[in-house]
Amino acid sequence: MSDLISTQDLTKRFDGLVAVNQVNFSLQEGQVAGIIGPNGSGKTTLFNLLSGFFPPSAGRITFCGKDITKIPPHKRVGMGMARTFQLVSVFDSLTVWENLVLSTIRFKRDQQSVQSFFFAPARKRIVVDDCLKSLELVGLEKKASARTSELSYGEKRMLEIAIGLSLKPRVLLLDEPLSGLSDHEIGGVLDLIHRVKKNFALVIIEHKISKIVSVVKKLSVMNEGKILCEGDPEQVLRDPAVRECYWGKEEENCST
Ligand SMILES: Nc1ncnc2c1ncn2[C@@H]1O[C@H](COP(=O)(O)OP(=O)(O)OP(=O)(O)O)[C@@H](O)[C@H]1O
Ligand SMILES: [Mg+2]
């Protein structure tokens, strides 16, 4: 199977700190991959590089066979790369439906999408259908007209995921989708991941390793900006270097 995403010696420096250090990461079409690692090991920075939020200091990123290293974030979304944020990022002052539709038309693949949404009925119907489907998938369809500020944190996270789903991604990058959620809400997100994973590739950054180990087919462990170890999740978690770097420092985080 061909690589959907691959990075070559991807590096990000912040002054003296090398947050991502010569990372060679790859993801196949349809694959579900997990990234774990201690706090500050470079996981979110790697997502920021993949999604174009930061320019790399060195290295290359290929997506769908194209070099996207210098392509801006919105164009990467247009190519099929969607992401969520470690801290949920939705507009509290808008309704659930407004958040969804506005984000979706903003990022739809063709440049004319905002105009075509308002002036082309067929176009509008497609966007509305996609948004409705994703709201139903995450179970928020009854809250479509609620103000987003009224949602629980878990519901806001579901809304953020719904925005990603409505973009019909080829890959969805989820940055700690379970953090801050109750056990019940965690169950809901995991169930959703199981239901959608056949449709596109997923990369999940997560500290709650035990929750994602059965979902991911490949696990990468980051430490101090580098990929320390990667491969079959069970094998990776047995690796003595992984146990030392991760469990040594983060036992409480990892065990939940
Ligand atoms: N915009 C920035 N400017 C300066 N330093 C940054 C910036 N973003 C991240 N860093 C630093 O880069 C390193 C990696 O941070 P990053 O957020 O990628 O870690 P992480 O693995 O996601 O950690 P966590 O598990 O706590 O979310 C940290 O030392 C962090 O302080
Ligand atoms: Mg992070």
Side-chain angles (χ1 to χ4, degrees):
M1 212 184 274
S2 61
D3 283 343
L4 181 66
I5 295 180
S6 70
T7 71
Q8 292 88 42
D9 293 331
L10 195 62
T11 299
K12 182 67 186 176
R13 293 185 205 96
F14 295 110
D15 297 321
L17 176 86
V18 190
V20 169
N21 193 355
Q22 294 186 302
V23 164
N24 295 301
F25 174 78
S26 66
L27 179 78
Q28 293 181 341
E29 196 89 53
Q31 192 174 37
V32 183
I35 301 179
I36 61 170
N39 295 116
S41 55
K43 305 178 298 295
T44 296
T45 305
L46 177 61
F47 267 18
N48 284 333
L49 294 173
L50 293 177
S51 55
F53 279 71
F54 294 153
S57 311
R60 253 162 41 100
I61 308 166
T62 309
F63 178 49
C64 303
K66 279 192 178 165
D67 185 334
I68 59 158
T69 314
K70 294 193 172 148
I71 288 186
H74 69 279
K75 291 213 170 138
R76 298 186 199 197
V77 178
M79 292 171 70
M81 188 187 291
R83 71 170 290 184
T84 65
F85 292 84
Q86 190 165 345
L87 296 173
V88 168
S89 159
V90 285
F91 295 106
D92 268 353
S93 57
L94 300 179
T95 66
V96 168
W97 183 250
E98 286 164 347
N99 257 300
L100 191 58
V101 173
L102 286 176
S103 304
T104 305
I105 55 173
R106 185 167 156 228
F107 288 122
K108 277 283 177 185
R109 285 163 207 227
D110 61 296
Q111 299 274 319
Q112 302 301 312
S113 54
V114 175
Q115 290 89 328
S116 58
F117 177 77
F118 287 108
F119 299 118
R123 176 88 197 142
K124 192 168 176 169
R125 201 166 51 242
I126 292 168
V127 173
V128 167
D129 284 352
D130 289 346
C131 289
L132 262 179
K133 262 186 227 148
S134 19
L135 259 198
E136 281 165 9
L137 263 173
V138 305
L140 282 179
E141 68 277 16
K142 292 199 176 119
K143 301 225 168 173
S145 53
R147 197 147 299 278
T148 303
S149 57
E150 292 161 17
L151 300 187
S152 70
Y153 192 70
E155 288 172 329
K156 286 184 192 177
R157 178 147 289 156
M158 283 299 209
L159 172 57
E160 202 186 23
I161 297 175
I163 291 169
L165 297 176
S166 70
L167 296 167
K168 296 193 172 159
R170 290 180 77 170
V171 61
L172 181 59
L173 310 175
L174 299 172
D175 194 348
E176 296 199 35
L178 309 181
S179 82
L181 304 192
S182 67
D183 282 350
H184 177 70
E185 290 168 332
I186 287 175
V189 174
L190 290 174
D191 176 57
L192 176 66
I193 289 173
H194 276 289
R195 280 183 286 129
V196 299
K197 69 180 183 185
K198 61 182 182 306
N199 302 332
F200 45 78
L202 274 162
V203 187
I204 307 168
I205 293 175
E206 194 44 70
H207 280 295
K208 296 183 170 64
I209 303 166
S210 63
K211 305 281 185 194
I212 60 157
V213 81
S214 67
V215 189
V216 301
K217 291 284 167 279
K218 175 175 122 170
L219 188 63
S220 306
V221 184
M222 288 193 71
N223 189 36
E224 297 179 354
K226 286 188 172 283
I227 294 185
L228 176 73
C229 178
E230 70 181 358
D232 171 74
E234 304 286 349
Q235 278 177 14
V236 164
L237 294 175
R238 278 198 296 271
D239 187 298
V242 171
R243 299 188 76 82
E244 190 187 325
C245 108
Y246 205 100
W247 268 264
K249 294 176 188 170
E250 299 267 319
E251 194 151 4
E252 278 176 28
N253 263 337
C254 287
S255 58
T256 51

